[in-house]
Amino acid sequence: MEQTSVSTARSPTRTAEILDVLRTDILETRLQPGTRLRFDELRRSYDAGISPLREALMHLASEGLVVSEERRGYRVAPVSEDDLREIAKLRGEFDALAIAESIRRGDELWEGRVIAAFHALQKRSKIGPDGEIDREWEGHHIRFHDALVSECGMPKLMGFRTILDLQARRYRRIAVHYLTAPRDDLAEHRAIRDAVLDRDITESGRLIRAHFMRTVDIILTRQLG
Amino acid sequence: MEQTSVSTARSPTRTAEILDVLRTDILETRLQPGTRLRFDELRRSYDAGISPLREALMHLASEGLVVSEERRGYRVAPVSEDDLREIAKLRGEFDALAIAESIRRGDELWEGRVIAAFHALQKRSKIGPDGEIDREWEGHHIRFHDALVSECGMPKLMGFRTILDLQARRYRRIAVHYLTAPRDDLAEHRAIRDAVLDRDITESGRLIRAHFMRTVDIILTRQLG
DNA sequence: AAGTCAATTATTTTGGAAAATATATCCGGA
DNA sequence: TCCGGATATATTTTCCAAAATAATTGACTT
């Protein structure tokens, strides 16, 4: 499906490889928030030269997953309540905006994609047999939300959105147990789909904002209360 | 005013220096949109090693001022009507959002800063004696808009906003002559100030969106019509 | 003890050469 | 002429060692 291109199986650059594995390690919190990332150590652990490491770290900094101080190296970005709250707020606002544009510009084909993505999501249950969030479900979930915004025609906004998605993923991992809290995801998603198909910008914005905020509220109230 | 720190006059890293001069060259369009940026040439023109050049380019890529293709090097980001339109749209939306939050959270001190910034802006005229946009005015203009959003408490949003500001600055340079077109900036800014001081979120959002959109409309209709 | 300064060690930053890859040129065959 | 592929050239990517800077230690003074 993706690309099994017969001819040129383009080898990624070392930088791209390292970027990927480093990002995963941060998102899965194998590298804890705040950890210093020294080149010497990284060189050993990831078996890489300094240049691609530097470049990968720099890229991660632009995604907000690491922070750097001039001449003092890099650290895994810290986490905080306020940070999580802002991420959720902005995800709501950005998606509300992108959905509004998609409603204005999207045709029946787009509607079809939304319907199909919801259908696929609906068929799977969120929690797998092991009690963890189901990997497949997670994929469908992402694709449903992507479908909603897919006709907004704002590539820069989509770039910002991707960055926030990444950052949110890390918190999701940190708070994974709270995320299995009882919550009627399916009803929320169906309501969003219906508002979108009704081409109701105000309502879909309200729902998508609430959708993102609910997640963070659940995490934070559980962790504090 | 800035920092004339007596003790440690921290020398910036070579990367930071190069980043600065490269960014300026792009913003002032001494490096035209689309231009390929080869390391050999850059090495000569900017008298720098490859490592800091690479890092600077990477950073500029994260700001959207250059684009890179794996193993094919970097180019100055191209410009387009759609690109400009999206920048203007997002600047309107982001600032509307940030102003809304500032209105909710800001105190009298914030109001004072807004009033002061408007006052300073008002005293200067936009077009200098040479017929170009006045440098001083431009500084006050930026500070007025910064004051409006300064209490939003959303650092990530401010980061995104900074990136869009940079990108917009390049278009402003490209279209500099059209920007001196007759337009009652002062009245627009006063209206925004008043809506903010009335703590009217809806109205301030409407005005700030229109403010950004008007600029792009002027540029585009002139260039096409 | 607390503070200063120098010496030592740890770490980041930089330049450039080597390796890997992409692009351009050239040549022969349909 | 146009295509395919081989060769040559141009360019990016990577490694690594040297330089620059920051952090730590310890001796000395008050």
Side-chain angles (χ1 to χ4, degrees), chain B residues 13-15 48-52 71-72:
Chain B
T13 63
R14 198 83 188 81
T15 297
I50 278 187
S51 309
R71 292 185 204 281
R72 298 194 178 187

Side-chain angles (χ1 to χ4, degrees), chain B residues 128-145:
Chain B
D130 53 356
E132 299 285 303
I133 293 180
D134 187 69
R135 277 248 169 254
E136 289 269 346
W137 182 87
E138 216 167 5
H140 288 306
H141 186 222
I142 290 171
R143 279 189 289 279
F144 174 64
H145 281 282

